[in-house]
């Protein structure tokens, strides 16, 4: 979290800031609701109660009877009732029903700040100025006087004793500090929560930070390839699941590190051997100590150089394959029937003692033709290396998948190693190191296919399953 370029590095401060922000949002929301809804509802209730009180007084036979207690009701606090008399010369006389005989010009009106010195006499005369008709009945007004809203109801009173116009006015100031008591209470509680929130944030942050600190130290250990012990966090929450994920990562990184070391050892041995043979025979030619003839020795050097070149190309191809597949692999529709026919015709001349049995049908997939050809060639080359008398290729469409099976009648693969033959580091029983099957699997996996090896009664089948186009 950043505030004006300042970054909160402390988890305690971040939790407290978040907590405070939530409290402030709640306070603002309640304030808006209070101002827009609660006050409106309260004003309606107050006006309705004042209207009922006004009706009761209006229907009473004696206005100046026992003192009424309307101002003791919750919604009618600070309310009052006055009689306005207007004579023929428009002189206004104000009398309070409950304050007969008291000088109203010296009586402050409740609901107005004392410093304003608002008297009931001046307020009554002000309200009388809104009476436009001689006869009115419960005419309602909501006006502002000295910055305060006043709600008042006016009704004319019939009198047979005088020609003066007489009116009953019931009024109540609507604006007062007590009206905001709920708002102030919410703000006060919010401030208390903000203060205590810091303590709560400190406790929560400490609870969260302790396992996170362990995870931080554990990450540094992994970064330095310290695989000795897994981290132990007993939480079942997100932090616990993170710890389990990091332990899984540790296992995978440890395995990858071991495989990398084995890979370097294996490939260095496989590259050293042909280089050593080439150097030995080259020195023999130079020293005149070669066996048989120069041509025979040169032929050996050539074959070893070809084998070395092949291994280097496979290494470079495998190393860049992921990038090539992701960025430079243009996919198109491939006719596997034609592709397999083309590849098998090329491979048949390699060993004329092997019988080829093709049972292939038209089938189409989406992919890069060059990469798919490499994948199939590697499998056929592997099968040709171990086949004794026969290689068969079957191509069918089942449901929405293409099934390609390449079989050779060579020796079975040890069951404990059959799932590892597609790994980069796999060596066969003769100790030979190869990357062809690993390349094939990576290509087939990229195009959402599957490949597996299955031992038969005699021989091995490589089965490729890929979605049709």
């Amino acid at each position: 979290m950043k505030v004006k370029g300042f970054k909160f590095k402390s988890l305690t401060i971040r939790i407290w800031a978040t907590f405070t922000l939530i409290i402030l949002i709640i306070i603002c929301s309640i304030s808006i609701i209070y101002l827009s809804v609660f006050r409106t509802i309260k004003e309606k209730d107050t006006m309705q109660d004042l209207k009922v009180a006004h009706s009761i007084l209006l229907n009473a036979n004696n206005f100046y009877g026992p003192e009424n207690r309307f101002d003791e009701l919750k919604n009618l606090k600070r309310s009052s009732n006055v009689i306005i008399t207007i004579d023929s010369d428009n002189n206004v006389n104000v009398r309070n029903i409950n304050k007969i005989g008291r000088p109203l010009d010296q009586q402050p009106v409740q609901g107005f700040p004392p410093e304003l010195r608002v008297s009931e006499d001046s307020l009554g005369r002000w309200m009388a100025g809104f009476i436009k008709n001689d006869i009115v009945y419960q005419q309602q007004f909501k006006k502002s006087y000295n910055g305060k809203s006043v709600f008042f109801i006016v009704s004319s009173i019939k009198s047979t004793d005088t020609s003066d116009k007489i009116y009953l006015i019931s009024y109540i100031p609507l604006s007062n500090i007590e009206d905001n008591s709920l708002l102030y209470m919410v703000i006060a509680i919010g401030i208390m929560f903000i203060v205590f929130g810091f303590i709560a944030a400190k406790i929560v942050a400490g609870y969260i930070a302790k396992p996170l600190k362990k995870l931080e130290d554990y990450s540094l250990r992994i970064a330095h390839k310290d695989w000795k012990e897994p981290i132990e966090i007993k939480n079942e929450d997100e932090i616990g699941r993170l710890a389990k994920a990091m332990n899984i990562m540790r296992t995978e990184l440890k395995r990858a590190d071991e495989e990398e070391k084995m890979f370097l050892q294996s490939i260095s041995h496989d590259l050293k051997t042909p280089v050593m043979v080439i150097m030995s025979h080259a020195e023999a030619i130079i020293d005149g100590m070669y066996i048989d003839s120069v041509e025979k020795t040169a032929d050996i050097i050539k074959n070893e150089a070809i084998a070395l070149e092949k291994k280097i190309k496979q290494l470079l191809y495998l190393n860049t394959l992921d990038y090539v597949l992701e960025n430079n692999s243009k996919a198109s529709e491939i006719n596997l029937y034609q592709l397999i026919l083309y590849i098998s015709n090329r491979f048949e001349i390699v060993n004329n003692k092997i019988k080829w049995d093709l049972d292939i049908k038209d089938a189409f997939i989406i992919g890069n033709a060059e990469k798919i050809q490499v994948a199939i060639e590697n499998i056929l080359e592997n099968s040709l290396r171990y086949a004794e008398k026969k290689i068969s290729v079957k191509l069918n469409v089942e449901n929405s998948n293409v099934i390609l099976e390449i079989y050779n009648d060579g020796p079975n693969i040890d069951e404990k190693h059959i799932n590892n033959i597609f790994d980069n580091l796999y060596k066969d029983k003769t100790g030979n190191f190869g990357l062809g099957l690993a390349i094939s699997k990576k290509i087939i996996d990229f195009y959402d296919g599957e490949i597996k090896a299955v031992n038969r009664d005699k021989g091995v089948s490589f089965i490729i399953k890929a979605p049709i186009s």
Side-chain angles (χ1 to χ4, degrees):
M1 179 182 290
K2 292 183 178 180
V3 178
K4 293 183 179 181
F6 180 75
K7 185 177 181 180
F8 291 150
K9 295 183 178 180
S10 170
L11 184 60
T12 301
I13 298 299
R14 292 176 65 184
I15 293 176
W16 178 74
T18 304
F19 185 82
T20 301
L21 180 62
I22 293 173
I23 293 297
L24 291 176
I25 291 173
I26 292 174
I27 292 174
C28 293
S29 300
I30 293 177
S31 301
I32 293 171
I33 293 173
Y34 172 79
L35 293 173
S36 62
V37 178
F38 181 78
R39 276 192 170 184
T40 302
I41 295 174
K42 187 177 180 181
E43 283 188 7
K44 287 183 178 179
D45 291 343
T46 300
M47 293 176 182
Q48 183 62 32
D49 290 347
L50 186 65
K51 186 176 180 181
V52 171
H54 182 84
S55 297
I56 293 174
L57 289 174
L58 193 62
N59 295 327
N61 294 326
N62 184 8
F63 292 108
Y64 303 105
E67 184 175 342
N68 64 67
R69 301 290 182 179
F70 295 139
D71 58 352
E72 295 181 1
L73 299 175
K74 181 179 180 181
N75 285 342
L76 295 181
K77 290 181 179 179
R78 305 178 307 278
S79 67
S80 189
N81 306 278
V82 295
I83 296 294
I84 303 294
T85 302
I86 305 176
D87 61 19
S88 58
D89 295 328
N90 288 328
N91 295 316
V92 178
N93 180 44
V94 181
R95 291 175 293 171
N96 188 296
I97 291 177
N98 294 331
K99 300 176 182 177
I100 300 300
R102 302 178 189 177
L104 297 185
D105 58 346
Q106 299 177 10
Q107 297 292 327
V109 178
Q110 296 184 25
F112 287 89
E115 61 270 15
L116 294 179
R117 297 180 180 178
V118 177
S119 67
E120 198 162 38
D121 184 72
S122 61
L123 181 62
R125 293 177 183 278
W126 172 76
M127 291 187 292
F130 292 97
I131 301 173
K132 304 300 181 183
N133 300 316
D134 294 342
I135 300 175
V136 294
Y137 179 74
Q138 292 191 355
Q139 188 174 3
Q140 300 179 17
F141 297 91
K142 183 181 178 182
K143 301 295 182 179
S144 179
Y145 184 72
N146 282 350
K148 301 293 181 181
S149 295
V150 180
F151 179 69
F152 56 98
I153 303 174
V154 181
S155 294
S156 56
I157 301 173
K158 295 181 180 180
S159 176
T160 58
D161 299 335
T162 178
S163 61
D164 296 342
K165 293 178 284 188
I166 304 174
Y167 302 92
L168 171 65
I169 298 180
S170 300
Y171 73 90
I172 183 171
L174 295 177
S175 180
N176 189 274
I177 191 170
E178 294 179 4
D179 294 337
N180 296 323
S181 58
L182 176 62
L183 180 61
Y184 296 145
M185 182 179 69
V186 170
I187 294 174
I189 293 174
I191 293 173
M192 289 175 59
F193 269 105
I194 290 173
V195 173
F196 289 113
F198 182 79
I199 301 174
K202 186 89 174 167
I203 296 172
V204 173
Y207 176 78
I208 296 175
K210 186 176 180 180
L212 289 178
K213 178 62 177 175
K214 291 178 66 177
L215 290 174
E216 179 186 5
D217 295 339
Y218 185 59
S219 299
L220 293 174
R221 283 169 46 201
I222 292 177
H224 292 91
K225 295 186 177 183
D226 181 1
W227 321 115
K228 293 179 181 179
E229 297 179 359
I231 189 171
E232 293 185 5
I233 293 180
K234 297 180 180 180
N235 300 37
E236 297 295 333
D237 53 11
E238 288 81 358
I239 294 177
R241 292 196 291 272
L242 176 61
K244 291 179 181 178
M246 292 186 69
N247 281 330
I248 295 173
M249 179 183 69
R250 164 191 166 274
T251 302
E252 292 299 317
L253 288 175
K254 181 180 179 181
R255 183 180 64 83
D257 185 55
E258 292 173 350
E259 288 182 351
E260 181 182 0
K261 292 177 181 177
M262 291 176 60
F263 176 79
L264 293 174
Q265 291 174 357
S266 299
I267 197 64
S268 61
H269 177 269
D270 273 28
L271 293 179
K272 280 181 181 178
T273 302
V275 170
M276 181 181 65
V277 173
I278 292 172
M279 290 181 64
S280 298
H281 285 79
E283 289 176 358
I285 293 176
I286 294 172
D287 297 336
M289 301 294 292
Y290 51 84
I291 302 174
D292 292 336
S293 62
V294 176
E295 291 79 7
K296 183 67 174 179
T297 304
D299 192 48
I300 293 174
I301 292 175
K302 178 182 177 182
N303 292 336
E304 291 296 328
I306 292 173
L308 180 61
E309 181 187 29
K310 181 180 178 181
K311 290 182 185 294
I312 294 173
K313 284 182 177 179
Q314 282 188 326
L315 277 172
L316 295 175
Y317 191 88
L318 181 63
N319 188 49
T320 60
L321 184 57
D322 287 330
Y323 177 83
V324 171
L325 287 172
E326 292 288 346
N327 298 278
N328 300 321
S329 183
K330 295 182 179 179
S332 60
E333 190 174 65
I334 302 171
N335 187 334
L336 282 181
Y337 173 86
Q338 295 180 353
L339 181 60
I340 292 172
L341 201 61
Y342 167 74
I343 296 173
S344 61
N345 288 336
R346 291 172 53 224
F347 274 73
E348 283 180 1
I349 61 174
V350 175
N351 188 345
N352 55 15
K353 296 180 180 180
I354 300 296
K355 179 183 178 182
W356 287 74
D357 182 13
L358 301 182
D359 181 12
I360 55 178
K361 301 177 181 177
D362 279 333
F364 297 86
I365 63 171
I366 295 295
N368 180 277
E370 178 187 347
K371 302 299 181 292
I372 297 297
Q373 179 176 336
V374 169
I376 297 174
E377 284 181 346
N378 287 342
I379 298 170
L380 282 173
E381 182 180 1
N382 182 82
S383 298
L384 192 61
R385 185 186 308 135
Y386 295 102
E388 296 179 0
K389 297 180 180 180
K390 178 182 178 181
I391 290 178
S392 65
V393 181
K394 293 182 180 180
L395 178 64
N396 294 301
V397 176
E398 296 180 5
N399 298 326
S400 59
N401 294 302
V402 172
I403 307 297
L404 173 62
E405 180 178 351
I406 300 174
Y407 165 82
N408 72 83
D409 61 349
N412 289 145
I413 302 172
D414 193 332
E415 288 294 338
K416 64 181 180 182
H417 296 307
I418 195 167
N419 294 324
N420 300 323
I421 63 173
F422 298 103
D423 295 343
N424 296 352
L425 306 175
Y426 176 73
K427 285 190 176 185
D428 61 20
K429 64 178 73 176
T430 64
N432 290 323
F433 177 81
L435 296 173
L437 293 181
I439 292 172
S440 295
K441 178 172 174 55
K442 184 166 288 191
I443 293 172
I444 292 168
D445 286 346
F446 179 80
Y447 291 111
D448 299 324
E450 300 175 7
I451 183 172
K452 63 180 179 179
V454 179
N455 283 322
R456 302 302 185 187
D457 292 338
K458 179 175 173 56
V460 179
S461 289
F462 288 87
I463 301 174
I464 299 173
K465 182 180 180 181
I468 62 174
S469 62

